[in-house]
Amino acid sequence: MKIDLKRFNAYTIVRDLLFNAWVIVLAVVTGFVGGVCYYSFLHTETYVSSMTVSINLSGYTSEAAALSLARTVVIAENLDDVFQSKALRDVVEKDLGESLTGSMEARQIEETNLVSITVTDNSPEKAYETLVSVYKNYYKVTDFAFSNVIIRTVVNPEMPLQPTNRVTPIAGGVLFGILAGVIVAGIIAVISFLRDTVKNVSDIESELDTKLFATVNSVKRLSRNLPLDKHRLVVTNPLIPPHFAASFRKIAVKLESLHRIKGIKSVMITSVTENEGKTSVAVNTAMTLAENGHRVLLLDADFKNPSDYHFFDEVKNPEETDFRNYFRGTDALSGFIKQDPITGLFILGNARAYSDSAELLGSSQFKAVLKELKEMFDFIIIDTPPCGITVDAEVLSNSVDASLLVIRQDVVVVKDINAQIETLAHGNVIGCVFNDVSAFGRKDGGRNINRLDKAKKGEA
């Protein structure tokens, strides 16, 4: 797998870490308990006994002292091989009358002719006794390995008083807990980074088979204590930060341009899966176009999960004016269209889900209705079910002038998005709206919402 660091997004990784914080905490607790158990019942302490020897050469005069030191340094560097050899172990085991359980090591003290010899074992007595045996018998091996070498003891073998790896169970538990937490957090971060979703604007340009139409940055959710009309994420809400409305003004300007240049009037807005914000994008796009003085119809063609009417307090949608009922009777289409007195937006919606939605959207009746509506309005913004869940959007894409795909940050994998783009009418997708985008370092007007909320309450 090719790793592209340009697709790194710190915000989405931190968000995944926070979302999975319980997993990290569980790993820390498990590691702590495991560490306490290990250091209480399984951990073996080790002891190190040491001595120091000097390496000298016989037969050298004082004039050759420099050459003697150079050769002894080289010998000292190679002495470790002798002390770890099987020959010396056999000699020591014979002297002790038992097999060695510890390890021997010789380490040169840097740039000197001194060598530190250590024996490590699981008890201080064994470590000391083994080193004493090495002290008494090493010449039986070194005399064969090196000629004209004199090894003198500088520091005699010492009995170790403390283990070198003593760790209390609590300290071990803390260590294991931290290690487990770091490992699990690292795994979550790696999975988050490798997840092939759209995390950055650059991902759209490099990974998707469509272009970026607009970006809608994330907005901090409003307090549930506010009245319903002050709680909705709509451009008409005075508590919504300026950047939110600005995003939809950009969308409106682009649609107006496409309307002038290509005559585009009916725009279908869909997403690959649920909870990507397609309905919010559809409603706010329609509101903004209406605010710009256009005659705009918001058509709720999501017959699987209708919800557009929830955005409007003044527009009631009883069963008798359900848009689906128009196809069952003889009433005029205008009787099913309502206008929101606040925004001036016209709405054609439904209140119930229907199982035959795909057949309806692909019927000649619906195409005739759409043609009639295009003569009545400047723009028709159509909210549809997710195209990755039902075929409704695919069917409807053949009847509209253009399609917009809403992509929420870090939700759907790239291959699934591209697969749905291919299913929509060729040349019909004018781009995607990158929705609910968050990043570190971005000034989010939504952070001021709580202060606005308090100010409103103070005025009240």
Side-chain angles (χ1 to χ4, degrees):
M1 177 186 293
K2 184 180 179 181
I3 298 178
D4 185 2
L5 293 179
K6 292 180 181 179
R7 303 191 65 191
F8 175 82
N9 186 304
Y11 179 86
T12 57
I13 291 177
V14 171
R15 185 184 63 190
D16 284 345
L17 289 172
L18 293 175
F19 181 78
N20 293 283
W22 68 274
V23 178
I24 299 174
V25 171
L26 182 61
V28 170
V29 173
T30 303
F32 176 80
V33 173
V36 170
C37 292
Y38 173 78
Y39 282 101
S40 296
F41 306 108
L42 301 176
H43 176 62
T44 301
E45 294 181 337
T46 57
Y47 295 82
V48 178
S49 181
S50 64
M51 62 180 289
T52 303
V53 299
S54 65
I55 309 298
N56 302 280
L57 296 179
S58 62
Y60 278 79
T61 63
S62 59
E63 289 80 6
L67 178 61
S68 173
L69 179 59
R71 289 197 59 189
T72 55
V73 169
V74 173
I75 293 172
E77 291 175 350
N78 296 291
L79 198 62
D80 185 42
D81 294 335
V82 175
F83 277 86
Q84 295 195 54
S85 67
K86 185 177 184 304
L88 183 57
R89 291 184 69 90
D90 290 341
V91 170
V92 173
E93 287 179 350
K94 184 177 180 180
D95 178 57
L96 295 176
E98 60 181 1
S99 298
L100 292 182
T101 58
S103 61
M104 297 180 294
E105 180 183 10
R107 181 178 59 83
Q108 179 210 13
I109 298 175
E110 189 174 356
E111 297 182 356
T112 70
N113 65 332
L114 299 178
V115 177
S116 174
I117 302 170
T118 59
V119 173
T120 303
D121 215 321
N122 56 15
S123 76
E125 293 81 8
K126 284 186 177 181
Y128 177 72
E129 290 171 1
T130 300
L131 185 61
V132 169
S133 179
V134 170
Y135 169 67
K136 293 189 302 181
N137 296 287
Y138 66 80
Y139 70 91
K140 296 178 181 178
V141 177
T142 57
D143 286 353
F144 289 99
F146 306 106
S147 59
N148 300 323
V149 173
I150 300 173
I151 301 179
R152 294 190 176 94
T153 302
V154 177
V155 178
N156 291 322
E158 298 176 349
M159 172 77 76
L161 301 177
Q162 296 289 337
T164 57
N165 63 340
R166 172 168 289 177
V167 179
T168 65
I170 296 298
V174 171
L175 178 64
F176 273 49
I178 293 174
L179 182 61
V182 169
I183 291 174
V184 171
I187 292 173
I188 293 173
V190 170
I191 292 174
S192 176
F193 171 70
L194 295 179
R195 187 170 55 246
D196 193 23
T197 55
V198 179
K199 304 183 182 75
N200 308 294
V201 169
S202 59
D203 296 343
I204 296 175
E205 300 169 351
S206 62
E207 303 295 327
L208 298 187
D209 298 332
T210 188
K211 61 183 178 181
L212 178 67
F213 195 83
T215 299
V216 180
N217 290 326
S218 178
V219 175
K220 187 175 181 180
R221 298 301 174 187
L222 300 176
S223 171
R224 293 285 182 182
N225 297 324
L226 291 170
L228 188 59
D229 62 328
K230 296 296 187 294
H231 180 261
R232 297 190 183 104
L233 295 181
V234 291
V235 293
T236 56
N237 187 343
L239 298 185
I240 293 296
H243 73 77
F244 185 79
S247 298
F248 287 99
R249 282 196 293 271
K250 291 179 182 179
I251 294 175
V253 167
K254 288 188 175 183
L255 290 178
E256 289 168 341
S257 177
L258 289 171
H259 175 66
R260 289 192 303 270
I261 297 171
K262 297 183 178 181
I264 288 177
K265 300 184 72 173
S266 58
V267 180
M268 180 187 81
I269 297 181
T270 188
S271 61
V272 175
T273 189
E274 295 178 335
N275 299 317
E276 292 197 75
K278 65 173 183 62
T279 296
S280 174
V281 170
V283 169
N284 282 289
T285 298
M287 284 183 175
T288 306
L289 286 168
E291 188 180 63
N292 290 352
H294 299 288
R295 187 176 172 85
V296 184
L297 174 71
L298 174 64
L299 172 56
D300 190 352
D302 188 348
F303 292 104
K304 299 297 185 184
N305 183 29
S307 57
D308 288 10
Y309 66 92
H310 289 302
F311 285 81
F312 306 94
D313 290 329
E314 302 299 325
V315 177
K316 307 300 180 182
N317 199 0
E319 290 293 326
E320 59 269 17
T321 58
D322 193 305
F323 176 43
R324 181 65 177 81
N325 292 333
Y326 168 74
F327 298 94
R328 297 172 176 170
T330 58
D331 294 339
L333 180 60
S334 59
F336 293 85
I337 299 174
K338 299 179 180 181
Q339 186 176 23
D340 178 32
I342 298 176
T343 62
L345 180 65
F346 292 89
I347 302 162
L348 182 55
N350 55 297
R352 296 195 296 120
Y354 298 95
S355 59
D356 62 344
S357 56
E359 291 80 0
L360 173 62
L361 293 173
S363 67
S364 58
Q365 285 180 294
F366 187 85
K367 292 179 181 179
V369 168
L370 195 57
K371 183 178 180 181
E372 182 180 350
L373 291 172
K374 289 174 71 173
E375 295 176 355
M376 299 168 59
F377 296 95
D378 299 324
F379 288 97
I380 304 171
I381 305 300
I382 308 172
D383 182 19
T384 73
C387 57
I389 296 178
T390 72
V391 299
D392 293 26
E394 181 181 354
V395 171
L396 185 57
S397 67
N398 294 296
S399 303
V400 297
D401 298 332
S403 300
L404 271 176
L405 187 64
V406 177
I407 299 172
R408 188 176 181 182
Q409 184 184 38
D410 196 27
V411 173
V412 183
V413 297
V414 168
K415 66 179 183 65
D416 290 342
I417 297 173
N418 284 331
Q420 294 307 317
I421 292 174
E422 290 182 8
T423 64
L424 299 176
H426 293 295
N428 183 279
V429 180
I430 55 176
C432 66
V433 176
F434 194 23
N435 191 37
D436 198 20
V437 181
S438 298
F440 289 125
R442 177 175 62 78
K443 293 182 178 180
D444 187 351
R447 293 174 183 168
N448 297 321
I449 289 174
N450 287 338
R451 291 201 297 270
L452 288 170
D453 185 8
K454 293 178 181 178
K456 290 287 181 181
K457 289 182 178 179
E459 292 173 4

